[in-house]
């Protein structure tokens, strides 16, 4: 049986975008089967508490967690670390919104740090707090509480709490004191501004968190969510006559002397002599010795600034234990996005789809979570909402773009309810290097990551028409762009990856959770052979069966019309497949 006979070749495939936009019938996804012991792990009939430590721009690839002994002691060794955990948009505001809504940025339409395409004003204008994790928890009887950075755009005139926090404790950092370590500005429950010049931000957050935790712990009946979000290790940000100035993060004075010999790891992709990235990156000059030295000092400043966060984690967990609440609490440590330091000649910053910017820390401890374990199951911030709901024993809305992470020791990560072989990373807001004059309007891309069954691919399409392909099993530092060579030698692989990206670029809900069901909506004879057993295509490995080559070769390609620094669905389209020589 020819695979391309399963669907009408071109006309039907042009409807992939419509299918991915959610016009398929969505199935409701209730909480997956947690096994008979699930409710017992945190007390039968009770709901667990959640404490979330959410840092800002913390790296995974430069091993900053290794410099945090207390996080290692209290969370890493007492819980599970997910090593393949990602943000799906490498910028603070879109990433944080995806974490709380469980949706990709193309569904939230929060794609930048500030108006008109992002920030707190756009978040509230779009009423995203009508349908998000804090609201679902509140409806189930949770007391939701927040201290620290939420997203950019919380100002002295726009400091009101979003839904889910209006009736409890909402204490955000407020502009222009969000990114100032010794001049933080807070507002509690839309009340008076509290400016604490001379006080160290993380220590203030620590004191506030302990006081709030003491209040929460006195109520033994209502479960709670407590989010603690210091801005370390983010740069300090200052505003001067329309200019935005970045300076290295400032440690507490007691930590200024630490890590004098630390420097950015000199991995193979650090300031390379040669590289074959897309054009705007490829043409970057090599960093000078002075710039490398600046990056090393920034690296040390970042590590030093995280030490107060390390102490904060210990203090909160010990106080939780004092109140007898530790055994009934899930403690999560993560960040909003990663950070590059000299990768591919890029000065400090984020915003690309490369591993340094999107692979981020995620640690969890709590009832039923394995201790001292690393787990390489694929997960992203879009999985976070479903994960918390599942651990709380609550149903999961069917519009979420990702399922729960298999965080419990008893979980079978290969179960259909946990399958997340692939996800998209997307970006529209251009690029800049912090505290540099460099700007690029060509950092607009859609990319897809595929893990599992021996595959580990990164494939991207850029607004310039350029492509990248990396096999991270062979090239973990993304040094050699294999797109052109693969297009000639293994065009069938490009066909599959591009088709997958074509689904994920506009997916919603079920189509994000199972994109292969769009490309293969029915069970098919195994291997395309008539009379063979029926098999559902669930992975790239399944889709790589040779019998599907003609089908995938018939599909159109994904492309941008031009480089627009905001999300515009009409700017993203499918185009007829070009001959190989034109692609080259």
């Amino acid at each position: 049986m020819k695979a391309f006979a399963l669907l009408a070749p071109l006309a039907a495939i042009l409807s992939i975008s419509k299918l991915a936009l959610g016009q398929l019938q969505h199935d409701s996804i209730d909480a997956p089967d947690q096994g008979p012991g699930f409710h017992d792990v945190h007390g039968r009939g009770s709901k667990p508490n959640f404490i979330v430590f959410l840092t800002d721009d913390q790296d995974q690839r430069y091993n900053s967690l290794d410099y945090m002994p207390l996080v290692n002691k209290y969370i890493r060794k007492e819980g599970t670390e997910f090593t393949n955990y990602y943000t799906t948009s490498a910028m603070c505001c879109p990433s944080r919104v995806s974490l709380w809504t469980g949706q990709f940025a193309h569904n939230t339409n929060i794609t930048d740090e500030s108006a008109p395409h992002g920030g707190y004003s756009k978040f509230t204008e779009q009423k995203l707090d009508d349908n998000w994790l804090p609201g679902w928890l509140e409806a189930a009887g949770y007391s939701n509480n927040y201290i620290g950075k939420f997203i950019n755009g919380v100002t002295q005139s726009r400091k009101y709490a979003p839904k889910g926090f209006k009736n409890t404790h909402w204490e955000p950092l407020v502009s222009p004191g969000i990114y100032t370590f010794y001049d933080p500005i807070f507002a509690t429950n839309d009340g008076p501004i509290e400016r604490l010049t001379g006080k160290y931000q993380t220590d203030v957050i620590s004191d506030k968190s302990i006081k709030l935790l003491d209040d929460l712990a006195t109520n033994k009946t209502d479960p709670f969510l407590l989010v603690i979000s210091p801005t370390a290790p983010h740069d300090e940000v200052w505003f001067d006559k329309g200019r935005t100035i970045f300076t290295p993060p400032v440690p507490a004075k007691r930590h200024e002397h630490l890590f004098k010999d630390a420097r950015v790891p000199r991995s193979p992709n650090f300031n390379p002599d040669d590289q074959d990235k897309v054009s705007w990156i490829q043409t970057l000059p090599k960093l000078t010795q002075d710039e490398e030295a600046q990056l090393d000092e920034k690296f040390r400043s970042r590590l030093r600034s995280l030490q107060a966060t390390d102490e904060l984690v210990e203090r909160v967990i010990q106080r939780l234990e004092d109140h007898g609440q530790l055994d009934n609490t899930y403690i999560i440590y993560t960040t909003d996005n990663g950070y590059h330091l000299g990768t591919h000649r890029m000065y400090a910053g984020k915003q690309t789809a490369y591993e340094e910017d999107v692979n981020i820390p995620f640690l969890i401890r709590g009832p039923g979570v394995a201790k001292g374990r690393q787990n390489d199951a694929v997960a992203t911030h879009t999985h976070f909402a479903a994960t918390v709901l599942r651990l709380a024993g609550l149903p999961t809305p069917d519009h979420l773009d990702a399922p729960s992470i298999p965080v419990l020791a008893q979980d079978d990560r290969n179960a259909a309810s946990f399958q997340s072989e692939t996800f998209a990373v997307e970006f529209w807001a251009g690029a800049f290097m912090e505290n540099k004059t460099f700007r690029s309007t060509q950092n607009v891309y859609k990319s897809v990551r595929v893990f599992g069954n021996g595959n580990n691919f990164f494939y991207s399409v850029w607004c310039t028409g350029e492509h990248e392909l990396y096999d991270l099993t062979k090239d973990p530092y993304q040094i050699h762009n294999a797109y052109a060579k693969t297009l000639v030698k293994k065009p069938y692989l490009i066909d599959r990856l591009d088709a997958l990206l074509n689904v994920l670029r506009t997916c919603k809900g079920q189509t994000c959770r199972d994109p292969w069901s769009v490309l293969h909506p029915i069970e098919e004879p195994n291997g395309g052979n008539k009379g063979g057993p029926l098999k559902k295509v669930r992975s790239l490995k399944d889709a790589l069966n040779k019998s599907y080559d003609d089908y995938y070769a018939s599909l159109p390609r994904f492309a941008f019309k031009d480089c627009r620094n905001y999300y515009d669905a009409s700017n993203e389209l499918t185009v007829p497949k070009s001959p190989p020589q034109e692609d080259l």
Side-chain angles (χ1 to χ4, degrees), residues 257-273:
H257 66 287
L258 298 175
F259 314 125
K260 292 181 179 179
D261 297 325
R263 64 176 196 157
V264 181
R266 276 8 184 213
S267 54
N269 61 3
F270 178 84
N271 199 20
D273 292 329

Side-chain angles (χ1 to χ4, degrees), residues 179-183 199-203 231-238 246-256 297-298 300-309:
Y179 300 105
T180 51
F181 284 85
Y182 273 101
D183 195 17
K199 301 289 187 180
Y200 191 67
Q201 183 210 98
T202 309
D203 291 346
T231 58
H234 196 289
D235 270 18
E236 283 205 304
V237 182
W238 305 90
F246 292 84
T247 55
V250 178
K253 296 189 183 303
R254 63 188 179 277
H255 301 135
E256 290 175 342
E297 185 54 40
K298 175 171 284 224
R300 289 187 282 270
S301 296
R302 285 168 55 82
L303 296 179
R304 292 162 179 159
S305 73
L306 283 168
Q307 299 313 296
T309 301

Side-chain angles (χ1 to χ4, degrees), residues 276-278 467-470 475 479-485:
D276 53 4
K277 297 283 152 303
V278 291
H467 298 74
E468 287 180 293
L469 174 65
Y470 301 98
D475 184 13
I479 295 173
H480 304 293
N481 182 2
Y483 176 76
K485 183 185 295 185

Side-chain angles (χ1 to χ4, degrees), residues 187-413:
T188 304
N189 299 331
D190 203 15
I193 291 297
E194 180 185 26
R195 187 164 192 164
L196 298 169
T197 303
K199 301 289 187 180
Y200 191 67
Q201 183 210 98
T202 309
D203 291 346
V204 172
I205 290 175
S206 180
D207 290 343
K208 290 177 179 291
S209 299
I210 293 298
K211 183 178 184 302
L212 179 55
L213 186 58
D214 288 344
D215 293 339
L216 293 171
T218 61
N219 184 341
K220 300 293 185 180
T221 58
D222 293 340
F224 63 82
L225 164 72
L226 172 57
V227 185
I228 303 170
S229 188
T231 58
H234 196 289
D235 270 18
E236 283 205 304
V237 182
W238 305 90
F239 304 98
D240 180 40
K241 298 178 181 179
R243 295 187 306 147
T244 303
I245 302 170
F246 292 84
T247 55
V250 178
K253 296 189 183 303
R254 63 188 179 277
H255 301 135
E256 290 175 342
H257 66 287
L258 298 175
F259 314 125
K260 292 181 179 179
D261 297 325
R263 64 176 196 157
V264 181
R266 276 8 184 213
S267 54
N269 61 3
F270 178 84
N271 199 20
D273 292 329
D274 301 300
Q275 61 180 6
D276 53 4
K277 297 283 152 303
V278 291
S279 54
W280 78 263
I281 299 176
Q282 187 177 119
T283 56
L284 292 173
K286 278 206 69 179
L287 300 172
T288 66
Q289 288 186 344
D290 284 346
E291 287 174 322
E292 287 192 8
Q294 291 170 15
L295 290 176
D296 287 334
E297 185 54 40
K298 175 171 284 224
F299 181 63
R300 289 187 282 270
S301 296
R302 285 168 55 82
L303 296 179
R304 292 162 179 159
S305 73
L306 283 168
Q307 299 313 296
T309 301
D310 201 39
E311 296 167 353
L312 159 65
V313 168
E314 178 185 52
R315 192 178 178 200
V316 167
I317 292 177
Q318 286 184 340
R319 185 59 64 94
L320 190 67
E321 186 172 28
D322 291 343
H323 286 297
Q325 296 269 17
L326 184 58
D327 291 340
N328 192 41
T329 302
Y330 288 101
I331 298 169
I332 297 168
Y333 186 98
T334 189
T335 192
D336 47 19
N337 48 254
Y339 199 77
H340 62 249
L341 290 161
T343 304
H344 308 304
R345 301 184 188 172
M346 296 183 295
Y347 199 74
K350 49 207 175 216
Q351 304 161 348
T352 77
Y354 302 126
E355 294 292 282
E356 285 75 13
D357 289 358
V358 294
N359 184 202
I360 56 178
F362 187 88
L363 312 174
I364 180 170
R365 67 169 285 179
V369 177
K371 295 184 178 182
R373 181 180 296 178
Q374 285 191 333
N375 191 320
D376 63 358
V378 180
T380 72
H381 269 349
T382 56
H383 292 72
F384 180 83
T387 303
V388 171
L389 289 171
R390 180 195 174 221
L391 293 175
L394 300 174
T396 307
D398 65 357
H399 74 275
L400 296 190
D401 291 341
S404 172
I405 308 167
V407 295
L408 299 178
Q410 66 188 31
D411 289 340
D412 176 7
R413 56 179 290 181

Side-chain angles (χ1 to χ4, degrees), residues 12 26 191 292 422 448:
H26 282 183
E292 287 192 8
T422 185
V448 62

Side-chain angles (χ1 to χ4, degrees), residues 477-496:
Y477 294 100
Q478 298 170 291
I479 295 173
H480 304 293
N481 182 2
Y483 176 76
K485 183 185 295 185
T486 306
L487 195 63
V488 173
K489 294 185 175 182
K490 296 181 179 180
Y492 57 85
L493 177 58
I494 301 294
D495 291 342
R496 268 80 166 175

